[in-house]
Amino acid sequence: MASRSLGGLSGSRGSSGVCKKSLSARNAAVERRNLITVCRFSVKTLIDRSCFETIDDSSPEFNNFAAILEQILSHRLKGQVTWFGYESPRSFWDYIRVACRKVSQNCICSIENMENVSSSRAKGRAWIRVALMEKHLSEYISTALRDFKTTRRFYEDGAIVLGEEANMLAGMLLGLNAIDFSFCLKGQGLDGNFPAVIDYTPYLKFTQSSDSISSDEEELRTLGSSGSSGSSTPEKVGPPFIMDENSWFNKCKRVRHKYQLTLEQKGYLEELLQLRENELSKSVSQNKLLLQRIEDSELAHKLEKEQLEYIIVELQDQLTVLKNNDLRSRQELTAHLTNQWPSPGALDVNAVALDTLLYRKHNKQWY
């Protein structure tokens, strides 16, 4: 009897262990799914908000998105083991700094050299802002996730960056490249002393659609008819019709409000489209003008080149003529000088005759 009770106790312990494991796995899956879903909502909110105002550090939508992304990148992040065997906490910047080195023209070194950013958490927050301003956040995340060996070294099993949700993360962040962000890297948002807190209240608002309202009214009517226990008196029929009239009035009011919002958005988009069309027409006209100037300059350069080539040919011909004339004049001068100069034999005869005359004259004066 005792052995049976012990066996039953061990069996219950084993089943409880399995239940705990399955419960922890379910909780981890729910946590990953919730973070990815909230991140998707946050990205959509940022894109919608960017149509009406500039996104900067004062925007609550951005602060919430930065907190969500920080929670995702810090999900099940391993600690750093010291020489003494103790495990110290680690920031997601330690992972990004190693895994994103392969990104071309990355900002890792610039963030490492920032003077006003000292802690690892603050550097990670600065990296998020710089990557958004450079429109390369999705590229950074994709490059880091492709380095699976480094990702496995920094994260534990069950982390978001190691699961299937990681591919969804890189895809949803791609839409942020259409937003022009403006951040100050010296503000209080980079303070690494406080952890990021996600505000879930913007995503918990429930707006009941008209179809849902009508289904609720029908359900109320059904409950009212079932509670009347078969009585079909006119007094019991009155309240539902009054409620239905009020619901129709509220529905028309909501539809009118939606129509006004849609009409205002339509006017804004038409004005924006007209502005873009005007800018496009100006750009097209400027482009045509520049092309015409380029064609005119090319034609002028071609004509100038032809004229210069013609001048060069003329100068070459003139130089050839001058060389020939110079050579001919030199030859004529040489021939002329040669004809005027006496021959060597004539010079000797004249010299002998001159000596004879001088000798005779000298002898006459002597005698």
Side-chain angles (χ1 to χ4, degrees):
M1 187 70 178
S3 63
R4 289 181 181 177
S5 62
L6 290 174
L9 183 60
S10 63
S12 63
R13 288 179 178 176
S15 61
S16 64
V18 173
C19 291
K20 287 182 179 179
K21 288 183 179 180
S22 61
L23 184 61
S24 64
R26 177 184 175 277
N27 292 338
V30 170
E31 183 182 7
R32 293 196 303 268
R33 189 165 61 249
N34 288 341
L35 284 173
I36 291 296
T37 304
V38 172
C39 184
R40 185 187 301 113
F41 289 157
S42 178
V43 170
K44 290 182 179 179
T45 305
L46 275 176
I47 294 174
D48 293 339
R49 181 62 62 182
S50 66
C51 298
F52 304 100
E53 62 183 20
T54 304
I55 305 298
D56 52 11
D57 294 285
S58 63
S59 175
E61 290 82 8
F62 165 72
N63 292 325
N64 209 29
F65 166 76
I68 294 169
L69 184 60
E70 186 174 344
Q71 290 283 351
I72 290 174
L73 295 177
S74 302
H75 184 251
R76 301 187 67 83
L77 183 66
K78 291 181 181 179
Q80 188 174 6
V81 180
T82 61
W83 288 97
F84 301 101
Y86 299 104
E87 187 174 353
S88 60
R90 178 185 279 172
S91 172
F92 70 92
W93 169 248
D94 299 326
Y95 164 67
I96 293 296
R97 180 170 52 85
V98 178
C100 295
R101 291 286 185 182
K102 297 180 181 179
V103 178
S104 59
Q105 298 179 356
N106 61 73
C107 60
I108 305 297
C109 296
S110 300
I111 294 175
E112 286 285 357
N113 297 328
M114 283 185 178
E115 297 179 356
N116 60 317
V117 180
S118 57
S119 64
S120 180
R121 181 180 293 176
K123 289 180 181 179
R125 293 173 179 176
W127 166 77
I128 292 176
R129 286 160 171 79
V130 173
L132 286 173
M133 287 191 292
E134 292 180 348
K135 303 181 185 299
H136 291 321
L137 181 60
S138 177
E139 182 181 358
Y140 279 107
I141 297 296
S142 300
T143 305
L145 294 178
R146 283 196 295 268
D147 192 356
F148 190 75
K149 184 178 180 180
T150 303
T151 307
R152 172 66 68 180
R153 181 160 56 91
F154 277 88
Y155 288 91
E156 298 177 357
D157 293 336
I160 294 178
V161 296
L162 292 175
E164 297 178 355
E165 296 87 356
N167 297 326
M168 299 172 58
L169 176 65
M172 72 178 65
L173 293 179
L174 191 61
L176 298 177
N177 295 342
I179 303 176
D180 294 329
F181 293 93
S182 177
F183 301 117
C184 177
L185 300 180
K186 296 181 181 180
Q188 297 179 356
L190 300 180
D191 189 5
N193 297 326
F194 301 99
V197 179
I198 302 175
D199 184 12
Y200 291 96
T201 53
Y203 316 116
L204 297 178
K205 294 179 182 179
F206 177 71
T207 304
Q208 194 172 11
S209 61
S210 58
D211 297 335
S212 177
I213 292 173
S214 60
S215 63
D216 290 344
E217 292 171 357
E218 297 217 351
E219 187 177 355
L220 288 174
R221 287 200 205 97
T222 305
L223 291 174
S225 62
S226 62
S228 62
S229 65
S231 61
S232 60
T233 59
E235 291 78 11
K236 299 292 182 180
V237 180
F241 285 102
I242 297 173
M243 187 191 307
D244 190 45
E245 185 178 355
N246 293 332
S247 65
W248 276 108
F249 177 75
N250 294 330
K251 186 186 294 184
C252 292
K253 189 176 180 180
R254 285 192 299 271
V255 170
R256 182 179 178 182
H257 181 64
K258 288 183 179 179
Y259 174 74
Q260 289 178 352
L261 289 178
T262 306
L263 190 62
E264 291 177 358
Q265 292 179 357
K266 177 176 176 292
Y268 170 75
L269 292 176
E270 286 179 351
E271 292 179 1
L272 188 63
L273 180 61
Q274 185 67 28
L275 181 63
R276 295 293 183 268
E277 287 181 353
N278 294 335
E279 292 178 355
L280 181 61
S281 61
K282 290 181 181 178
S283 300
V284 170
S285 60
Q286 290 178 0
N287 189 20
K288 289 181 179 179
L289 182 61
L290 291 175
L291 289 176
Q292 185 65 33
R293 288 180 180 177
I294 291 172
E295 291 179 358
D296 294 341
S297 62
E298 288 180 352
L299 181 60
H301 292 163
K302 185 177 180 181
L303 294 176
E304 186 177 359
K305 181 182 177 182
E306 292 178 354
Q307 291 178 359
L308 291 175
E309 289 179 351
Y310 178 74
I311 292 172
I312 289 171
V313 172
E314 284 188 350
L315 291 174
Q316 288 179 350
D317 294 340
Q318 292 178 5
L319 183 62
T320 303
V321 172
L322 290 174
K323 285 183 179 180
N324 294 331
N325 294 335
D326 188 26
L327 181 61
R328 190 179 300 108
S329 62
R330 287 182 179 181
Q331 291 177 354
E332 291 177 354
L333 181 60
T334 304
H336 178 69
L337 293 175
T338 303
N339 294 330
Q340 289 183 354
W341 195 261
S343 61
L347 288 175
D348 294 340
V349 171
N350 292 331
V352 171
L354 182 60
D355 290 341
T356 304
L357 290 173
L358 291 174
Y359 178 74
R360 287 179 179 178
K361 186 178 181 180
H362 179 68
N363 291 332
K364 285 182 180 181
Q365 290 179 357
W366 183 265
Y367 290 116

